Amino acid sequence: MEKRIYSLNLIAYVAMRTNLTPTIGRDESGIFYATFPEVRGVAYAIRDWKKNKCSVEIHTFLNEYKDLRERINEIRKEG
């Protein structure tokens, strides 16, 4: 089973680092989360994030974050 990631910052970072598009879901409480395929790149990105060893091109990260927020808002509109 794929792990759920609830942090929008972490989701955006992993998506940016891996060029993978996460699957967005909503849990029983109505809180949004994302899942990624279980591949090494995702695990490495999460590890770097947790060790505070990540550096990003801020414009790229913010664009990824914005796209993520827009996708979540579209899901909210759909119900």
Side-chain angles (χ1 to χ4, degrees):
M1 180 175 168
E2 295 174 328
K3 289 185 178 181
R4 294 179 177 181
I5 301 174
Y6 287 89
S7 165
L8 294 181
N9 288 331
L10 177 55
I11 297 166
Y13 180 74
V14 172
M16 183 192 72
R17 284 283 309 269
T18 62
N19 290 320
L20 295 172
T21 302
T23 300
I24 305 296
R26 188 183 286 187
D27 69 13
E28 311 76 38
S29 304
I31 298 173
F32 287 94
Y33 64 87
T35 58
F36 288 91
E38 293 185 29
V39 295
R40 284 187 196 167
V42 171
Y44 291 151
I46 292 170
R47 183 194 66 212
D48 289 347
W49 178 265
K50 288 182 177 180
K51 288 184 177 181
N52 293 325
K53 293 193 178 222
C54 58
S55 62
V56 298
E57 200 288 312
I58 192 69
H59 186 73
T60 305
F61 175 80
L62 291 175
N63 281 337
E64 193 69 50
Y65 187 91
K66 180 181 135 233
D67 292 344
L68 177 61
R69 293 290 308 188
E70 288 173 356
R71 287 181 58 204
I72 290 171
N73 286 332
E74 286 300 315
I75 294 170
R76 277 192 181 117
K77 289 178 188 176
E78 294 171 2

